[in-house]
Amino acid sequence: MDDPRKLEISFDCRHKLGLGPKIICAPKLRQGSGPKQTSTRILGSTPHHKFIIPIKSEEYEPDTENGLKCNLKFSYTSKYPEEIPEVEICDSENFEEEDEAVLKEHIIQQAEENLGTVMIFTLVSSAQEWLNTKWDEIRKAREEYAILKEKEAEEAERKRFEGTRVTVESFLAWKARFDVEFGVKKIQEKDDKETRKLTGRELFLTDKTLNESDLKFLEDGGDSIKVDESLFQDLEELDLDPDDALDDSS
């Protein structure tokens, strides 16, 4: 006998003689159109059937951010299909925060529109379509975000080479800062110049009285400058060789 914990089942509901209302009867393999053949787990049949059907979007890859995947858990009620089955979304992958609630609401809406008919195949197909549409939206958003980031990087690179564009407002702001900084600098230079001690050369150049002191000294001395002629009177008595005198003078 097949293992009831993991079987491929048909989405057709049939009458099983002697077992009451319509239920999913003995599992069987199904080929053909509709949702892809998936591994369905039967969780129990008492008092009503419970089972899990996994679905996934296009481009889904395990352990990556590509595609979407989740498990649909259905539980029949005593009045199924005149009453919608209980639905749970579990083990979702790459879902956003509210996606499980939105998908569940979508499945319940489809179930209410199909009351009185066998609906599991319809609900799974609708959930599969919702998953693919949602993945298309996510993929498109990612592509647009990548394009936007690339444009931002190109714009930043262009601005880096162009520099900052000057407007009237930015120029006036810069001029105000420049005037303040330049004024403070001039005041500081003036204060430093006044407090710094002058060198001898600077004193000579700036104080005219020092420049006139030598002239005044010469004028005041006048004829009072005397030369001691005795210092030169013996020069004629010296026996100097003319060549030595020339050598000395050179």
Side-chain angles (χ1 to χ4, degrees):
M1 183 176 180
D2 293 329
D3 184 357
R5 293 171 298 178
K6 188 175 182 182
L7 294 171
E8 298 293 330
I9 68 171
S10 165
F11 293 118
D12 292 324
C13 280
R14 304 167 183 264
H15 288 287
K16 195 170 185 180
L17 296 175
L19 295 180
K22 299 175 183 179
I23 61 172
I24 288 184
C25 52
K28 69 174 185 177
L29 295 178
R30 179 189 179 96
Q31 301 290 337
S33 61
K36 294 180 179 180
Q37 184 174 325
T38 56
S39 179
T40 302
R41 286 186 295 155
I42 306 298
L43 302 178
S45 59
T46 305
H48 308 292
H49 279 74
K50 298 179 181 180
F51 50 92
I52 289 179
I53 300 177
I55 60 174
K56 58 186 177 181
S57 71
E58 298 173 352
E59 301 180 353
Y60 169 76
E61 296 179 8
D63 302 322
T64 70
E65 294 184 355
N66 292 335
L68 303 173
K69 179 183 180 299
C70 69
N71 290 335
L72 305 180
K73 180 180 178 182
F74 294 101
S75 300
Y76 285 167
T77 66
S78 60
K79 296 181 180 181
Y80 177 80
E82 305 301 326
E83 186 176 63
I84 66 173
E86 297 177 359
V87 181
E88 294 181 38
I89 312 296
C90 51
D91 302 327
S92 61
E93 295 183 28
N94 300 331
F95 274 42
E96 297 178 354
E97 185 175 356
E98 298 179 355
D99 283 350
E100 288 189 10
V102 175
L103 176 56
K104 181 178 179 179
E105 182 179 353
H106 173 76
I107 294 174
I108 291 175
Q109 181 180 356
Q110 295 296 315
E112 290 175 346
E113 294 176 359
N114 288 274
L115 283 174
T117 63
V118 176
M119 65 181 71
I120 298 301
F121 180 83
T122 301
L123 300 184
V124 174
S125 299
S126 179
Q128 179 73 62
E129 183 179 355
W130 185 94
L131 222 60
N132 287 332
T133 301
K134 183 64 178 179
W135 169 241
D136 287 341
E137 294 174 356
I138 293 174
R139 181 177 55 187
K140 183 178 179 181
R142 289 179 181 177
E143 292 173 353
E144 291 176 349
Y145 179 77
I147 293 173
L148 177 62
K149 296 299 292 183
E150 183 178 356
K151 289 183 177 179
E152 289 178 351
E154 292 175 354
E155 182 67 14
E157 186 71 9
R158 183 181 64 80
K159 287 183 177 180
R160 188 172 70 87
F161 284 100
E162 286 185 356
T164 304
R165 294 183 179 179
V166 179
T167 63
V168 175
E169 292 78 8
S170 62
F171 173 75
L172 293 176
W174 170 83
K175 187 176 185 304
R177 293 194 302 270
F178 175 80
D179 291 343
V180 171
E181 295 175 1
F182 187 72
V184 171
K185 184 177 181 181
K186 286 188 68 176
I187 294 173
Q188 184 64 38
E189 290 177 351
K190 182 178 180 182
D191 293 341
D192 292 343
K193 188 174 181 181
E194 291 177 352
T195 57
R196 183 173 61 86
K197 291 183 179 181
L198 298 177
T199 64
R201 178 178 176 81
E202 290 174 336
L203 287 171
F204 179 79
L205 294 175
T206 56
D207 190 351
K208 294 182 178 180
T209 58
L210 296 177
N211 189 28
E212 296 171 353
S213 61
D214 289 341
L215 296 175
K216 186 176 180 182
F217 173 76
L218 295 174
E219 290 175 357
D220 292 343
D223 297 336
S224 62
I225 299 176
K226 297 181 180 181
V227 179
D228 188 357
E229 295 181 358
S230 62
L231 296 175
F232 305 96
Q233 64 183 0
D234 295 333
L235 290 176
E236 297 178 355
E237 299 177 359
L238 294 175
D239 187 11
L240 295 176
D241 189 350
D243 294 335
D244 293 340
L246 289 175
D247 292 338
D248 293 337
S249 62
S250 60

